[in-house]
Amino acid sequence: KTNMFPLIQRCCFHTSFQLQKLTGPRLLLCAKNEKTLSSLGLWLRRNVCPLSRSSSLKPASVYSTQLQAFHTSAVVSKKKTPPDSEAEAQKHKESLKDAPKPALYLSLAGLVPFVTMPLAMAIQGTYYPEVAFAQVTYGAVTASFLGGMRWGFALPESSPAKPDWLNLANSTVPALLAWQALLFQDVTQGAVMLVMALGIALHYDVALLPPYPRWFKILRVWGTVVMVLSLLATTALKLILEEQRSDGRHKLQN
């Protein structure tokens, strides 16, 4: 085996050297003579073909196939983002624009009564106890609805939340607080109780139930902020406008 390599090297060098001599015009001149052409073919068969058929040398196609396979494996081995991480990244990029239109529009429409009642009293400059009680009543209904959504989420068989004591019992807490808010004669105390109920319902939906879509959690946060601010605005208007009314009465009496 050690003696074959110098022999093959000499044959390859001799073959390439002979082919270089026959390139160009000399090869064309030789091709004109049929005897020269036939002798050239016999010489190539004798010298070149045994080298290509030798078992110690592999054809060029084998090397190209191995190189192609190596190149392909290198390309495939590049790191790609797993589909799970892509889905998680997509979830983190979700916003209110990704929310279904019915859910978005109905949620915004549900905030209208919260905003219009204190806004109307602020524009007229008069505190109406009936309007404030109507706002507290509507807030109690909304808090009960938000608590009941957890039952609808936990009852289906394919739901990630189980219908256990934790999920079903906690969903009744906002409804109980809303009922307690309606029992107070003072609207201020009822509004504070509703703020507690809405905050607990938001904590359940955002922190304790992570399978909810991100757009829904964002919608719940902004909706709760608007409801809480409107209830606090009503209590602030009550204190401010009642003080102004009492001051006006004292001035008239004096």
Coordinates of all heavy atoms in Angstrom, one line a residue, residues 159-205:
S159 N -61.1 22.7 29.8 CA -60.5 23.9 30.4 C -59.3 23.5 31.3 O -59.3 22.5 31.9 CB -61.6 24.6 31.2 OG -61.1 25.7 31.9
P160 N -58.3 24.4 31.3 CA -57.1 24.2 32.1 C -57.5 24.4 33.6 O -56.7 23.9 34.5 CB -56.1 25.2 31.6 CG -56.9 26.2 31.0 CD -58.1 25.6 30.4
A161 N -58.5 25.1 33.9 CA -59.0 25.3 35.3 C -60.0 24.2 35.7 O -60.9 23.9 35.0 CB -59.6 26.7 35.4
K162 N -59.8 23.7 36.9 CA -60.6 22.6 37.3 C -61.8 23.2 38.1 O -61.7 24.2 38.8 CB -59.9 21.6 38.2 CG -58.7 20.9 37.5 CD -58.0 20.0 38.4 CE -56.9 19.3 37.7 NZ -56.1 18.3 38.6
P163 N -63.0 22.6 38.0 CA -64.1 23.0 38.8 C -64.0 22.6 40.3 O -64.9 21.8 40.8 CB -65.3 22.4 38.1 CG -64.8 21.2 37.5 CD -63.4 21.5 37.1
D164 N -63.0 23.0 41.0 CA -62.8 22.6 42.4 C -63.3 23.7 43.3 O -63.9 24.7 42.9 CB -61.3 22.4 42.6 CG -60.4 23.5 42.2 OD1 -61.0 24.6 41.8 OD2 -59.2 23.4 42.2
W165 N -63.1 23.5 44.6 CA -63.6 24.5 45.6 C -62.9 25.9 45.4 O -63.5 26.9 45.6 CB -63.3 24.0 47.0 CG -64.3 22.9 47.4 CD1 -64.0 21.6 47.4 CD2 -65.6 23.1 47.9 NE1 -65.2 20.9 47.8 CE2 -66.1 21.8 48.1 CE3 -66.4 24.2 48.1 CZ2 -67.4 21.6 48.6 CZ3 -67.7 24.0 48.6 CH2 -68.2 22.7 48.8
L166 N -61.6 25.9 45.0 CA -60.9 27.1 44.9 C -61.5 28.0 43.8 O -61.8 29.2 44.0 CB -59.4 26.8 44.7 CG -58.5 28.1 44.5 CD1 -58.5 28.9 45.8 CD2 -57.1 27.7 44.1
N167 N -61.7 27.4 42.7 CA -62.2 28.2 41.5 C -63.7 28.6 41.7 O -64.1 29.8 41.4 CB -62.0 27.4 40.2 CG -60.6 27.3 39.8 OD1 -59.8 28.3 40.0 ND2 -60.1 26.2 39.3
L168 N -64.5 27.7 42.1 CA -65.9 27.9 42.1 C -66.3 28.8 43.4 O -67.2 29.6 43.3 CB -66.7 26.6 42.2 CG -66.5 25.7 40.9 CD1 -67.4 24.5 41.0 CD2 -66.8 26.5 39.6
A169 N -65.6 28.5 44.5 CA -66.0 29.3 45.7 C -65.5 30.8 45.6 O -66.2 31.7 46.0 CB -65.4 28.7 46.9
N170 N -64.3 30.9 45.0 CA -63.7 32.3 44.8 C -64.6 33.1 43.9 O -64.6 34.4 44.0 CB -62.3 32.3 44.3 CG -61.3 31.8 45.4 OD1 -61.6 31.9 46.6 ND2 -60.2 31.3 45.0
S171 N -65.2 32.5 42.9 CA -66.1 33.3 42.0 C -67.3 33.9 42.6 O -67.9 34.8 42.1 CB -66.5 32.4 40.8 OG -67.3 31.3 41.3
T172 N -67.7 33.3 43.8 CA -68.9 33.9 44.5 C -68.5 35.1 45.4 O -69.4 35.8 45.8 CB -69.5 32.8 45.3 OG1 -68.6 32.3 46.3 CG2 -69.9 31.6 44.5
V173 N -67.2 35.3 45.6 CA -66.8 36.4 46.5 C -67.2 37.8 45.9 O -67.8 38.6 46.6 CB -65.3 36.4 46.8 CG1 -64.9 37.6 47.6 CG2 -65.0 35.1 47.5
P174 N -67.0 38.1 44.6 CA -67.4 39.4 44.1 C -68.9 39.6 44.2 O -69.4 40.7 44.5 CB -66.9 39.4 42.7 CG -65.8 38.5 42.7 CD -66.2 37.4 43.6
A175 N -69.7 38.5 44.0 CA -71.2 38.6 44.0 C -71.6 38.9 45.5 O -72.5 39.7 45.7 CB -71.8 37.3 43.5
L176 N -71.0 38.3 46.5 CA -71.4 38.5 47.9 C -71.0 40.0 48.3 O -71.8 40.6 49.0 CB -70.6 37.5 48.8 CG -71.1 36.1 48.6 CD1 -70.2 35.2 49.5 CD2 -72.6 35.9 49.0
L177 N -69.9 40.5 47.8 CA -69.5 41.8 48.1 C -70.4 42.8 47.4 O -70.8 43.9 48.0 CB -68.0 42.1 47.8 CG -67.0 41.3 48.6 CD1 -65.6 41.6 48.0 CD2 -67.1 41.6 50.0
A178 N -70.8 42.5 46.2 CA -71.8 43.4 45.5 C -73.1 43.4 46.2 O -73.8 44.5 46.3 CB -71.9 42.9 44.1
W179 N -73.6 42.3 46.7 CA -74.8 42.3 47.4 C -74.7 43.1 48.7 O -75.7 43.8 49.1 CB -75.2 40.8 47.7 CG -76.3 40.7 48.7 CD1 -77.6 41.0 48.4 CD2 -76.3 40.1 50.0 NE1 -78.4 40.7 49.5 CE2 -77.6 40.2 50.5 CE3 -75.3 39.6 50.8 CZ2 -77.9 39.8 51.8 CZ3 -75.6 39.2 52.1 CH2 -76.9 39.3 52.6
Q180 N -73.6 43.0 49.4 CA -73.4 43.8 50.6 C -73.3 45.3 50.3 O -73.8 46.1 51.1 CB -72.1 43.4 51.3 CG -71.8 44.1 52.6 CD -72.8 43.7 53.7 OE1 -73.2 42.6 53.7 NE2 -73.1 44.7 54.5
A181 N -72.8 45.7 49.1 CA -72.8 47.1 48.8 C -74.2 47.7 48.6 O -74.4 48.9 48.9 CB -72.0 47.2 47.5
L182 N -75.1 46.8 48.2 CA -76.5 47.3 48.0 C -77.2 47.5 49.3 O -78.3 48.2 49.4 CB -77.3 46.4 47.1 CG -76.8 46.3 45.6 CD1 -77.6 45.2 44.9 CD2 -76.8 47.6 44.9
L183 N -76.7 46.9 50.3 CA -77.4 46.9 51.6 C -77.0 48.2 52.4 O -77.7 48.6 53.4 CB -77.0 45.7 52.5 CG -77.5 44.4 51.9 CD1 -77.1 43.3 52.9 CD2 -79.0 44.4 51.7
F184 N -75.9 48.9 52.0 CA -75.5 50.1 52.7 C -76.5 51.2 52.3 O -76.8 51.4 51.1 CB -74.1 50.5 52.4 CG -73.1 49.6 53.0 CD1 -72.3 48.8 52.2 CD2 -72.9 49.6 54.4 CE1 -71.3 48.0 52.8 CE2 -71.9 48.8 54.9 CZ -71.1 48.0 54.2
Q185 N -76.9 52.0 53.3 CA -77.7 53.2 53.0 C -76.9 54.3 52.4 O -77.4 55.1 51.6 CB -78.4 53.6 54.3 CG -79.4 52.6 54.8 CD -80.1 53.1 56.1 OE1 -79.8 54.2 56.6 NE2 -81.1 52.3 56.6
D186 N -75.6 54.4 52.9 CA -74.7 55.4 52.4 C -74.1 54.9 51.0 O -73.6 53.8 51.0 CB -73.6 55.7 53.4 CG -72.8 56.9 53.0 OD1 -73.1 57.6 52.0 OD2 -71.8 57.2 53.7
V187 N -74.2 55.8 50.0 CA -73.7 55.4 48.7 C -72.2 55.3 48.7 O -71.6 54.5 48.0 CB -74.2 56.4 47.6 CG1 -73.6 56.1 46.3 CG2 -75.7 56.4 47.5
T188 N -71.6 56.1 49.6 CA -70.1 56.1 49.7 C -69.6 54.8 50.1 O -68.6 54.2 49.6 CB -69.6 57.2 50.6 OG1 -70.1 58.5 50.2 CG2 -68.1 57.3 50.7
Q189 N -70.2 54.2 51.2 CA -69.8 52.9 51.6 C -70.1 51.8 50.6 O -69.2 50.9 50.4 CB -70.6 52.6 52.9 CG -70.2 53.5 54.1 CD -71.0 53.2 55.3 OE1 -71.9 52.3 55.3 NE2 -70.7 53.9 56.4
G190 N -71.2 51.9 49.9 CA -71.5 51.0 48.8 C -70.4 51.1 47.7 O -70.0 50.0 47.1
A191 N -70.0 52.3 47.3 CA -69.0 52.4 46.3 C -67.7 51.9 46.7 O -67.0 51.2 45.9 CB -68.9 53.9 45.9
V192 N -67.3 52.0 48.0 CA -66.0 51.5 48.4 C -66.1 50.0 48.4 O -65.1 49.3 48.1 CB -65.7 52.0 49.8 CG1 -64.5 51.3 50.4 CG2 -65.5 53.5 49.8
M193 N -67.2 49.4 48.8 CA -67.4 47.9 48.8 C -67.3 47.4 47.3 O -66.7 46.3 47.1 CB -68.7 47.5 49.4 CG -68.9 46.0 49.6 SD -67.7 45.3 50.7 CE -68.2 46.0 52.3
L194 N -67.8 48.1 46.4 CA -67.8 47.7 45.0 C -66.3 47.8 44.5 O -65.9 47.0 43.6 CB -68.7 48.6 44.1 CG -70.1 48.2 44.1 CD1 -70.9 49.2 43.2 CD2 -70.4 46.8 43.7
V195 N -65.6 48.8 44.9 CA -64.2 48.9 44.5 C -63.4 47.6 45.0 O -62.6 47.1 44.2 CB -63.5 50.2 45.1 CG1 -62.0 50.2 44.9 CG2 -64.1 51.4 44.4
M196 N -63.7 47.2 46.2 CA -63.1 46.0 46.7 C -63.5 44.8 45.8 O -62.6 43.9 45.5 CB -63.4 45.7 48.1 CG -62.9 46.8 49.1 SD -63.5 46.6 50.8 CE -63.0 44.9 51.1
A197 N -64.8 44.7 45.5 CA -65.2 43.5 44.7 C -64.6 43.5 43.3 O -64.2 42.4 42.8 CB -66.8 43.6 44.6
L198 N -64.5 44.7 42.7 CA -63.9 44.7 41.4 C -62.4 44.4 41.4 O -61.9 43.8 40.5 CB -64.1 46.1 40.8 CG -65.6 46.5 40.4 CD1 -65.7 47.9 40.0 CD2 -66.1 45.6 39.3
G199 N -61.7 44.9 42.5 CA -60.3 44.5 42.6 C -60.1 43.1 42.8 O -59.1 42.5 42.2
I200 N -60.9 42.4 43.6 CA -60.8 40.9 43.8 C -61.0 40.2 42.5 O -60.3 39.2 42.2 CB -61.7 40.5 44.9 CG1 -61.2 41.1 46.3 CG2 -61.8 39.0 45.0 CD1 -62.2 40.8 47.4
A201 N -62.1 40.6 41.8 CA -62.4 39.9 40.5 C -61.2 40.1 39.5 O -60.9 39.2 38.8 CB -63.7 40.5 39.9
L202 N -60.6 41.3 39.5 CA -59.4 41.5 38.6 C -58.3 40.7 39.0 O -57.6 40.1 38.2 CB -59.1 43.0 38.6 CG -57.9 43.4 37.8 CD1 -58.1 43.1 36.3 CD2 -57.5 44.8 38.0
H203 N -58.0 40.5 40.3 CA -56.9 39.7 40.8 C -57.2 38.2 40.4 O -56.2 37.5 40.0 CB -56.8 39.8 42.3 CG -55.8 38.8 42.9 ND1 -54.5 39.0 42.7 CD2 -56.0 37.7 43.7 CE1 -53.9 38.0 43.4 NE2 -54.8 37.2 44.0
Y204 N -58.4 37.7 40.4 CA -58.7 36.4 40.0 C -58.4 36.2 38.5 O -57.8 35.2 38.1 CB -60.1 36.0 40.3 CG -60.5 35.8 41.7 CD1 -61.8 35.9 42.2 CD2 -59.5 35.6 42.7 CE1 -62.1 35.7 43.5 CE2 -59.8 35.4 44.0 CZ -61.1 35.5 44.4 OH -61.4 35.3 45.7
D205 N -58.8 37.1 37.7 CA -58.7 37.0 36.2 C -57.2 37.2 35.8 O -56.8 36.5 34.8 CB -59.6 38.0 35.5 CG -61.0 37.7 35.7 OD1 -61.4 36.5 36.1 OD2 -61.9 38.6 35.6

